[in-house]
Amino acid sequence: MALEEVTREKWATRLGFILAAVGSAVGLGNIWRFPFQVGQEGGAAFLVMYLLFVAIIGIPAMLVEFVVGRSSERNPINAFDRLGHGEWRFIGILGVITGFLILSYYSVVAGWVTRYTFASLTGAYFGEAGAYFGQISAGPAAVGFHALFMVVTAVIVAAGIQKGIEMAVKVMVPALLVLLVGLIAYAFTLEGAAQGYEYYLSPDFGVIAANWTSILPAAAGQAFFTLSLGMGVMITYASYIDEDRNLGVDGGWIAFLNTLVSILAGLVVFPVLFTIGTEPGSGGPGELFAGVGGAIAQVPGSRLVGFLFFGVVTIAALSSAISILEVLVSYAIDNYSIERPTATAVISAIVFVVGIPSAMSTDVLTLFDATTAQLLLPLGVFLTVIFVGWVYQDSAKELAKGTGSDASGTLPVLWLWYVRIPILIVVGFVLVINATELYGTLTDMLL
Ligand code: PFF
């Protein structure tokens, strides 16, 4: 393992890490997945639970992954060996498998979005938005755009951490925020805006109290997915951070910016859905396309509006896909002495092939999404929490680095105990409920 001794690349600038992590977090999870989760789980009630979950569980759980990454300076599998607990490396293996599966269908959805970006220029979906989605979402055309998206992702990752990812996200993240704000201003002028805001922003606490056992696990799954937790992405990115950085401050910024994008995306999507009379949550994975695409077709300047909207989503998806591929590639480079370009090409090709069934059938895609987000991500977080809370002895010390206090400081100690008991219990609870629910869904589907 001679390569392990070579000095590891570091993020070139202070902002590099935050931007790259935000680039990973912000993606289809915010714009495609978040709105239909809000729709399926009762609107504003879900929003409240989701925000609480991100703040109370998501951020401390993100720090758990940062601690493993920075203290080991290794990919998620080797990290556990390096910290002296090789018997826990199965957590890393689970993470890499999860990443592999997520990327395979993520790229298919990103392929649809890429297609809609181009189709906006010609107005191809303006006539029958729903039917158009049906035509392009499954079959050879979907496979083609899945391939295109994987190639673009691979080219950026092959260029290396600093040149590729850091430069790409420096442009992408600010562009995304600016474009979303423009689209919100546009959505504000729509007829259904008031209804959309009411549905999205004014919670009925009775609904939360009555349905919290279904809203909580959905909010949890969404929070992990959107924060890129549970599959080693944040471990990998944190393995390139310097010791003088304050992990808590960085984690707070990343979660804040990511949440901001989801909230902004909702401010575009719900006014639009109410304007065209589509019930939120009813459209499944096609909702964003049929619903928002249909509305875009009605507005003045529809080609430009459509191009901007789907272009933004493509950019967001790209920076997330980069982060997943980076985990897989960094593992191959560290362990098998493979050159970065070769590793990237081979892995992307395999991911592409694994994604083909999802590109041929949206039912298969939904199955991949449900299994990974509901089961594998919470499981990955749960196991990492046990490791950092109870097995690895220097967790508080690592968190304290760059904060000016030491391991016995109030914040590191509080965080450690918070991870050890409350977080473990909540994530364990979520895992049990989600596993039971998924089991129900699977037996329904298969019987
Ligand atoms: N966080 C990304 C999104 O919300 O679209 C998706 C994602 C990236 C999930 C990386 C998991 C991950 F490890």
Side-chain angles (χ1 to χ4, degrees):
M1 232 150 269
L3 260 182
E4 299 248 87
E5 306 313 322
V6 171
T7 312
R8 238 171 128 79
E9 289 178 89
K10 295 276 183 191
W11 299 104
T13 62
R14 186 176 180 274
L15 264 184
F17 166 65
I18 293 188
L19 282 179
V22 169
S24 168
V26 174
L28 296 174
N30 304 67
I31 298 162
W32 166 68
R33 207 171 187 281
F34 172 76
F36 82 74
Q37 295 287 312
V38 174
Q40 281 170 359
E41 298 294 335
F46 177 86
L47 180 67
V48 170
M49 280 288 233
Y50 163 79
L51 291 177
L52 271 177
F53 200 90
V54 166
I56 298 176
I57 309 287
I59 298 174
M62 184 181 277
L63 300 185
V64 163
E65 296 204 9
F66 285 175
V67 160
V68 175
R70 188 172 69 177
S71 60
S72 65
E73 299 190 308
R74 292 295 180 272
N75 66 63
I77 295 182
N78 295 8
F80 296 93
D81 296 319
R82 165 77 177 181
L83 299 181
H85 295 280
E87 68 283 6
W88 287 82
R89 75 200 314 263
F90 71 92
I91 300 179
I93 296 172
L94 175 78
V96 167
I97 294 172
T98 307
F100 210 92
L101 298 176
I102 289 188
L103 185 56
S104 75
Y105 74 85
Y106 200 85
S107 167
V108 173
V109 178
W112 301 341
V113 179
T114 311
R115 172 107 189 216
Y116 268 75
T117 310
F118 292 125
S120 302
L121 293 176
T122 60
Y125 61 87
F126 290 177
E128 251 307 331
Y132 184 80
F133 178 76
Q135 285 159 20
I136 68 108
S137 56
V143 175
F145 276 84
H146 163 48
L148 173 68
F149 186 82
M150 270 319 297
V151 168
V152 175
T153 308
V155 167
I156 297 179
V157 170
I161 291 285
Q162 304 199 354
K163 284 199 299 288
I165 301 176
E166 211 162 318
M167 256 171 49
V169 294
K170 254 181 214 161
V171 183
M172 285 177 190
V173 175
L176 179 62
L177 286 173
V178 171
L179 285 169
L180 269 178
V181 169
L183 286 168
I184 288 172
Y186 151 74
F188 177 74
T189 65
L190 294 176
E191 211 182 300
Q195 249 182 310
Y197 297 146
E198 160 85 22
Y199 174 82
Y200 180 46
L201 300 174
S202 97
D204 177 343
F205 289 96
V207 172
I208 302 184
N211 300 319
W212 71 276
T213 50
S214 101
I215 301 178
L216 172 72
Q222 177 60 22
F224 293 149
F225 189 92
T226 192
L227 292 173
S228 299
L229 296 179
M231 49 157 285
V233 161
M234 292 303 176
I235 295 181
T236 305
Y237 274 17
S239 75
Y240 304 114
I241 317 180
D242 276 327
E243 296 207 332
D244 58 357
R245 301 301 303 274
N246 185 331
L247 297 179
V249 172
D250 286 4
W253 270 108
I254 294 159
F256 169 75
L257 285 170
N258 177 62
T259 306
L260 184 67
V261 176
S262 289
I263 293 175
L264 295 184
L267 289 174
V268 181
V269 169
F270 292 105
V272 167
L273 288 182
F274 278 94
T275 304
I276 60 170
T278 297
E279 198 189 321
S282 64
E287 180 166 287
L288 175 77
F289 304 93
V292 178
I296 285 171
Q298 313 296 322
V299 304
S302 48
R303 291 181 186 205
L304 182 65
V305 174
F307 181 74
L308 288 179
F309 181 80
F310 288 109
V312 168
V313 184
T314 307
I315 292 169
L318 188 57
S319 55
S320 302
I322 287 169
S323 73
I324 310 182
L325 188 57
E326 175 60 26
V327 173
L328 308 175
V329 168
S330 116
Y331 170 68
I333 297 176
D334 286 357
N335 287 36
Y336 301 106
S337 311
I338 308 178
E339 295 291 314
R340 177 171 277 269
T342 319
T344 311
V346 172
I347 293 169
S348 315
I350 304 175
V351 171
F352 166 70
V353 172
V354 174
I356 291 177
S358 295
M360 297 303 288
S361 149
T362 45
D363 286 345
V364 174
L365 188 144
T366 310
L367 190 68
F368 268 76
D369 181 57
T371 316
T372 48
Q374 288 185 34
L375 198 62
L376 298 181
L377 292 181
L379 182 61
V381 172
F382 183 69
L383 294 170
T384 320
V385 162
I386 295 180
F387 177 79
V388 166
W390 293 101
V391 179
Y392 181 51
Q393 294 302 316
D394 287 331
S395 301
K397 196 166 132 203
E398 185 62 43
L399 189 81
K401 284 181 188 159
T403 63
S405 83
D406 60 16
S408 57
T410 319
L411 273 178
V413 169
L414 264 183
W415 168 79
L416 185 62
W417 280 100
Y418 187 59
V419 166
R420 281 182 170 170
I421 298 169
I423 297 215
L424 194 65
I425 292 175
V426 175
V427 178
F429 175 74
V430 161
L431 190 58
V432 171
I433 299 207
N434 277 353
T436 318
E437 220 176 72
L438 185 67
Y439 178 75
T441 316
L442 284 181
T443 40
D444 283 355
M445 265 178 86
L446 298 176
L447 296 182

mmCIF file of all heavy atoms in Angstrom, residues 34-65:
data_model
loop_
_atom_site.group_PDB
_atom_site.id
_atom_site.type_symbol
_atom_site.label_atom_id
_atom_site.label_comp_id
_atom_site.label_asym_id
_atom_site.label_seq_id
_atom_site.Cartn_x
_atom_site.Cartn_y
_atom_site.Cartn_z
ATOM 1 N N PHE A 34 -37.128 16.129 -2.910
ATOM 2 C CA PHE A 34 -37.726 16.899 -1.811
ATOM 3 C C PHE A 34 -39.179 17.314 -2.093
ATOM 4 O O PHE A 34 -40.058 17.055 -1.267
ATOM 5 C CB PHE A 34 -36.838 18.110 -1.487
ATOM 6 C CG PHE A 34 -37.430 19.086 -0.521
ATOM 7 C CD1 PHE A 34 -37.481 18.799 0.843
ATOM 8 C CD2 PHE A 34 -37.941 20.298 -0.951
ATOM 9 C CE1 PHE A 34 -38.031 19.700 1.747
ATOM 10 C CE2 PHE A 34 -38.495 21.202 -0.056
ATOM 11 C CZ PHE A 34 -38.540 20.905 1.293
ATOM 12 N N PRO A 35 -39.476 17.932 -3.253
ATOM 13 C CA PRO A 35 -40.865 18.354 -3.464
ATOM 14 C C PRO A 35 -41.867 17.196 -3.444
ATOM 15 O O PRO A 35 -42.943 17.326 -2.887
ATOM 16 C CB PRO A 35 -40.839 19.013 -4.857
ATOM 17 C CG PRO A 35 -39.430 19.404 -5.058
ATOM 18 C CD PRO A 35 -38.603 18.364 -4.358
ATOM 19 N N PHE A 36 -41.519 16.044 -4.005
ATOM 20 C CA PHE A 36 -42.557 15.008 -3.959
ATOM 21 C C PHE A 36 -42.642 14.323 -2.599
ATOM 22 O O PHE A 36 -43.674 13.775 -2.237
ATOM 23 C CB PHE A 36 -42.567 14.077 -5.186
ATOM 24 C CG PHE A 36 -41.606 12.925 -5.266
ATOM 25 C CD1 PHE A 36 -41.796 11.785 -4.494
ATOM 26 C CD2 PHE A 36 -40.562 12.956 -6.165
ATOM 27 C CE1 PHE A 36 -40.937 10.696 -4.605
ATOM 28 C CE2 PHE A 36 -39.694 11.872 -6.291
ATOM 29 C CZ PHE A 36 -39.873 10.749 -5.504
ATOM 30 N N GLN A 37 -41.574 14.401 -1.815
ATOM 31 C CA GLN A 37 -41.693 13.954 -0.415
ATOM 32 C C GLN A 37 -42.619 14.887 0.353
ATOM 33 O O GLN A 37 -43.483 14.445 1.103
ATOM 34 C CB GLN A 37 -40.314 13.943 0.264
ATOM 35 C CG GLN A 37 -39.342 12.938 -0.311
ATOM 36 C CD GLN A 37 -39.700 11.531 0.081
ATOM 37 O OE1 GLN A 37 -39.957 11.240 1.234
ATOM 38 N NE2 GLN A 37 -39.754 10.646 -0.910
ATOM 39 N N VAL A 38 -42.455 16.188 0.161
ATOM 40 C CA VAL A 38 -43.341 17.164 0.800
ATOM 41 C C VAL A 38 -44.778 16.853 0.401
ATOM 42 O O VAL A 38 -45.685 16.823 1.236
ATOM 43 C CB VAL A 38 -42.980 18.613 0.382
ATOM 44 C CG1 VAL A 38 -43.995 19.601 0.934
ATOM 45 C CG2 VAL A 38 -41.578 18.989 0.843
ATOM 46 N N GLY A 39 -44.983 16.585 -0.893
ATOM 47 C CA GLY A 39 -46.322 16.303 -1.403
ATOM 48 C C GLY A 39 -46.911 15.036 -0.810
ATOM 49 O O GLY A 39 -48.073 15.004 -0.408
ATOM 50 N N GLN A 40 -46.088 13.984 -0.707
ATOM 51 C CA GLN A 40 -46.615 12.711 -0.208
ATOM 52 C C GLN A 40 -46.865 12.721 1.287
ATOM 53 O O GLN A 40 -47.656 11.946 1.799
ATOM 54 C CB GLN A 40 -45.643 11.575 -0.542
ATOM 55 C CG GLN A 40 -45.764 11.121 -1.981
ATOM 56 C CD GLN A 40 -44.648 10.173 -2.404
ATOM 57 O OE1 GLN A 40 -43.755 9.856 -1.625
ATOM 58 N NE2 GLN A 40 -44.699 9.725 -3.636
ATOM 59 N N GLU A 41 -46.158 13.586 2.008
ATOM 60 C CA GLU A 41 -46.240 13.546 3.472
ATOM 61 C C GLU A 41 -46.998 14.723 4.059
ATOM 62 O O GLU A 41 -46.774 15.095 5.213
ATOM 63 C CB GLU A 41 -44.835 13.458 4.078
ATOM 64 C CG GLU A 41 -44.057 12.215 3.694
ATOM 65 C CD GLU A 41 -44.669 10.925 4.261
ATOM 66 O OE1 GLU A 41 -45.367 10.983 5.296
ATOM 67 O OE2 GLU A 41 -44.451 9.861 3.650
ATOM 68 N N GLY A 42 -47.841 15.371 3.275
ATOM 69 C CA GLY A 42 -48.749 16.351 3.865
ATOM 70 C C GLY A 42 -48.265 17.792 3.876
ATOM 71 O O GLY A 42 -48.683 18.580 4.716
ATOM 72 N N GLY A 43 -47.383 18.153 2.992
ATOM 73 C CA GLY A 43 -47.036 19.559 2.820
ATOM 74 C C GLY A 43 -46.193 20.132 3.946
ATOM 75 O O GLY A 43 -45.178 19.554 4.340
ATOM 76 N N ALA A 44 -46.651 21.264 4.489
ATOM 77 C CA ALA A 44 -45.845 22.008 5.444
ATOM 78 C C ALA A 44 -45.472 21.183 6.679
ATOM 79 O O ALA A 44 -44.428 21.413 7.290
ATOM 80 C CB ALA A 44 -46.572 23.282 5.848
ATOM 81 N N ALA A 45 -46.325 20.201 7.028
ATOM 82 C CA ALA A 45 -46.008 19.355 8.185
ATOM 83 C C ALA A 45 -44.679 18.639 7.951
ATOM 84 O O ALA A 45 -43.833 18.534 8.851
ATOM 85 C CB ALA A 45 -47.120 18.332 8.403
ATOM 86 N N PHE A 46 -44.509 18.155 6.744
ATOM 87 C CA PHE A 46 -43.248 17.480 6.411
ATOM 88 C C PHE A 46 -42.088 18.463 6.464
ATOM 89 O O PHE A 46 -41.009 18.149 6.984
ATOM 90 C CB PHE A 46 -43.331 16.849 5.012
ATOM 91 C CG PHE A 46 -42.043 16.207 4.573
ATOM 92 C CD1 PHE A 46 -41.752 14.894 4.915
ATOM 93 C CD2 PHE A 46 -41.112 16.911 3.816
ATOM 94 C CE1 PHE A 46 -40.567 14.294 4.522
ATOM 95 C CE2 PHE A 46 -39.916 16.319 3.417
ATOM 96 C CZ PHE A 46 -39.649 15.007 3.767
ATOM 97 N N LEU A 47 -42.326 19.653 5.935
ATOM 98 C CA LEU A 47 -41.255 20.655 5.918
ATOM 99 C C LEU A 47 -40.728 20.907 7.334
ATOM 100 O O LEU A 47 -39.516 20.932 7.565
ATOM 101 C CB LEU A 47 -41.761 21.961 5.284
ATOM 102 C CG LEU A 47 -40.725 23.079 5.201
ATOM 103 C CD1 LEU A 47 -39.604 22.720 4.231
ATOM 104 C CD2 LEU A 47 -41.374 24.396 4.750
ATOM 105 N N VAL A 48 -41.651 21.047 8.287
ATOM 106 C CA VAL A 48 -41.243 21.316 9.669
ATOM 107 C C VAL A 48 -40.400 20.170 10.225
ATOM 108 O O VAL A 48 -39.321 20.366 10.790
ATOM 109 C CB VAL A 48 -42.491 21.526 10.563
ATOM 110 C CG1 VAL A 48 -42.102 21.569 12.032
ATOM 111 C CG2 VAL A 48 -43.210 22.792 10.164
ATOM 112 N N MET A 49 -40.878 18.935 10.032
ATOM 113 C CA MET A 49 -40.156 17.770 10.544
ATOM 114 C C MET A 49 -38.785 17.650 9.901
ATOM 115 O O MET A 49 -37.797 17.317 10.542
ATOM 116 C CB MET A 49 -40.924 16.484 10.227
ATOM 117 C CG MET A 49 -42.042 16.208 11.158
ATOM 118 S SD MET A 49 -41.398 15.697 12.757
ATOM 119 C CE MET A 49 -42.287 14.183 12.987
ATOM 120 N N TYR A 50 -38.762 17.909 8.614
ATOM 121 C CA TYR A 50 -37.519 17.796 7.871
ATOM 122 C C TYR A 50 -36.496 18.816 8.385
ATOM 123 O O TYR A 50 -35.331 18.487 8.624
ATOM 124 C CB TYR A 50 -37.823 17.998 6.375
ATOM 125 C CG TYR A 50 -36.627 18.303 5.534
ATOM 126 C CD1 TYR A 50 -35.778 17.281 5.139
ATOM 127 C CD2 TYR A 50 -36.342 19.606 5.154
ATOM 128 C CE1 TYR A 50 -34.656 17.566 4.378
ATOM 129 C CE2 TYR A 50 -35.232 19.892 4.393
ATOM 130 C CZ TYR A 50 -34.388 18.874 4.014
ATOM 131 O OH TYR A 50 -33.288 19.164 3.271
ATOM 132 N N LEU A 51 -36.959 20.055 8.584
ATOM 133 C CA LEU A 51 -36.035 21.090 9.063
ATOM 134 C C LEU A 51 -35.509 20.739 10.446
ATOM 135 O O LEU A 51 -34.311 20.870 10.728
ATOM 136 C CB LEU A 51 -36.737 22.459 9.109
ATOM 137 C CG LEU A 51 -37.077 23.059 7.738
ATOM 138 C CD1 LEU A 51 -37.845 24.374 7.901
ATOM 139 C CD2 LEU A 51 -35.807 23.284 6.910
ATOM 140 N N LEU A 52 -36.414 20.263 11.308
ATOM 141 C CA LEU A 52 -35.992 19.862 12.652
ATOM 142 C C LEU A 52 -34.966 18.741 12.572
ATOM 143 O O LEU A 52 -33.946 18.750 13.258
ATOM 144 C CB LEU A 52 -37.194 19.344 13.446
ATOM 145 C CG LEU A 52 -37.987 20.375 14.226
ATOM 146 C CD1 LEU A 52 -39.184 19.702 14.896
ATOM 147 C CD2 LEU A 52 -37.078 21.028 15.272
ATOM 148 N N PHE A 53 -35.242 17.770 11.711
ATOM 149 C CA PHE A 53 -34.360 16.612 11.619
ATOM 150 C C PHE A 53 -32.968 17.009 11.131
ATOM 151 O O PHE A 53 -31.960 16.543 11.651
ATOM 152 C CB PHE A 53 -34.961 15.545 10.696
ATOM 153 C CG PHE A 53 -34.368 14.193 10.932
ATOM 154 C CD1 PHE A 53 -34.920 13.326 11.852
ATOM 155 C CD2 PHE A 53 -33.217 13.805 10.259
ATOM 156 C CE1 PHE A 53 -34.344 12.089 12.102
ATOM 157 C CE2 PHE A 53 -32.634 12.570 10.492
ATOM 158 C CZ PHE A 53 -33.207 11.705 11.419
ATOM 159 N N VAL A 54 -32.929 17.889 10.135
ATOM 160 C CA VAL A 54 -31.625 18.334 9.628
ATOM 161 C C VAL A 54 -30.840 19.008 10.756
ATOM 162 O O VAL A 54 -29.656 18.733 10.978
ATOM 163 C CB VAL A 54 -31.782 19.306 8.437
ATOM 164 C CG1 VAL A 54 -30.474 20.021 8.132
ATOM 165 C CG2 VAL A 54 -32.259 18.551 7.203
ATOM 166 N N ALA A 55 -31.514 19.888 11.503
ATOM 167 C CA ALA A 55 -30.814 20.653 12.532
ATOM 168 C C ALA A 55 -30.387 19.766 13.702
ATOM 169 O O ALA A 55 -29.256 19.844 14.178
ATOM 170 C CB ALA A 55 -31.708 21.789 13.027
ATOM 171 N N ILE A 56 -31.293 18.892 14.150
ATOM 172 C CA ILE A 56 -31.043 18.162 15.400
ATOM 173 C C ILE A 56 -30.236 16.884 15.176
ATOM 174 O O ILE A 56 -29.426 16.492 15.998
ATOM 175 C CB ILE A 56 -32.378 17.845 16.106
ATOM 176 C CG1 ILE A 56 -33.082 19.152 16.455
ATOM 177 C CG2 ILE A 56 -32.168 17.026 17.348
ATOM 178 C CD1 ILE A 56 -34.444 18.959 17.074
ATOM 179 N N ILE A 57 -30.461 16.216 14.047
ATOM 180 C CA ILE A 57 -29.762 14.947 13.784
ATOM 181 C C ILE A 57 -28.768 15.083 12.623
ATOM 182 O O ILE A 57 -27.648 14.588 12.682
ATOM 183 C CB ILE A 57 -30.761 13.817 13.434
ATOM 184 C CG1 ILE A 57 -31.873 13.728 14.483
ATOM 185 C CG2 ILE A 57 -30.030 12.490 13.254
ATOM 186 C CD1 ILE A 57 -31.476 13.146 15.805
ATOM 187 N N GLY A 58 -29.185 15.760 11.567
ATOM 188 C CA GLY A 58 -28.369 15.796 10.351
ATOM 189 C C GLY A 58 -26.983 16.402 10.573
ATOM 190 O O GLY A 58 -25.977 15.806 10.169
ATOM 191 N N ILE A 59 -26.937 17.567 11.190
ATOM 192 C CA ILE A 59 -25.638 18.231 11.344
ATOM 193 C C ILE A 59 -24.693 17.429 12.256
ATOM 194 O O ILE A 59 -23.561 17.147 11.861
ATOM 195 C CB ILE A 59 -25.804 19.692 11.812
ATOM 196 C CG1 ILE A 59 -26.576 20.472 10.740
ATOM 197 C CG2 ILE A 59 -24.438 20.351 12.071
ATOM 198 C CD1 ILE A 59 -26.930 21.895 11.120
ATOM 199 N N PRO A 60 -25.136 17.014 13.454
ATOM 200 C CA PRO A 60 -24.218 16.190 14.266
ATOM 201 C C PRO A 60 -23.807 14.907 13.553
ATOM 202 O O PRO A 60 -22.663 14.454 13.694
ATOM 203 C CB PRO A 60 -25.033 15.859 15.520
ATOM 204 C CG PRO A 60 -26.166 16.811 15.549
ATOM 205 C CD PRO A 60 -26.405 17.299 14.156
ATOM 206 N N ALA A 61 -24.719 14.314 12.766
ATOM 207 C CA ALA A 61 -24.368 13.078 12.053
ATOM 208 C C ALA A 61 -23.351 13.361 10.954
ATOM 209 O O ALA A 61 -22.489 12.531 10.657
ATOM 210 C CB ALA A 61 -25.620 12.427 11.466
ATOM 211 N N MET A 62 -23.436 14.546 10.373
ATOM 212 C CA MET A 62 -22.445 14.910 9.366
ATOM 213 C C MET A 62 -21.056 15.027 10.018
ATOM 214 O O MET A 62 -20.045 14.579 9.474
ATOM 215 C CB MET A 62 -22.836 16.237 8.708
ATOM 216 C CG MET A 62 -21.921 16.640 7.577
ATOM 217 S SD MET A 62 -22.403 18.222 6.853
ATOM 218 C CE MET A 62 -23.671 17.728 5.752
ATOM 219 N N LEU A 63 -21.030 15.582 11.233
ATOM 220 C CA LEU A 63 -19.753 15.708 11.936
ATOM 221 C C LEU A 63 -19.151 14.332 12.242
ATOM 222 O O LEU A 63 -17.930 14.166 12.272
ATOM 223 C CB LEU A 63 -19.932 16.507 13.234
ATOM 224 C CG LEU A 63 -20.451 17.931 13.041
ATOM 225 C CD1 LEU A 63 -20.484 18.690 14.356
ATOM 226 C CD2 LEU A 63 -19.584 18.688 12.031
ATOM 227 N N VAL A 64 -20.014 13.354 12.451
ATOM 228 C CA VAL A 64 -19.542 11.988 12.690
ATOM 229 C C VAL A 64 -18.710 11.524 11.486
ATOM 230 O O VAL A 64 -17.614 10.984 11.630
ATOM 231 C CB VAL A 64 -20.760 11.052 12.926
ATOM 232 C CG1 VAL A 64 -20.373 9.594 12.772
ATOM 233 C CG2 VAL A 64 -21.375 11.311 14.292
ATOM 234 N N GLU A 65 -19.226 11.770 10.281
ATOM 235 C CA GLU A 65 -18.479 11.349 9.086
ATOM 236 C C GLU A 65 -17.213 12.190 8.894
ATOM 237 O O GLU A 65 -16.171 11.673 8.490
ATOM 238 C CB GLU A 65 -19.377 11.416 7.838
ATOM 239 C CG GLU A 65 -20.529 10.438 7.921
ATOM 240 C CD GLU A 65 -21.099 10.041 6.546
ATOM 241 O OE1 GLU A 65 -20.513 10.390 5.509
ATOM 242 O OE2 GLU A 65 -22.145 9.367 6.554
#
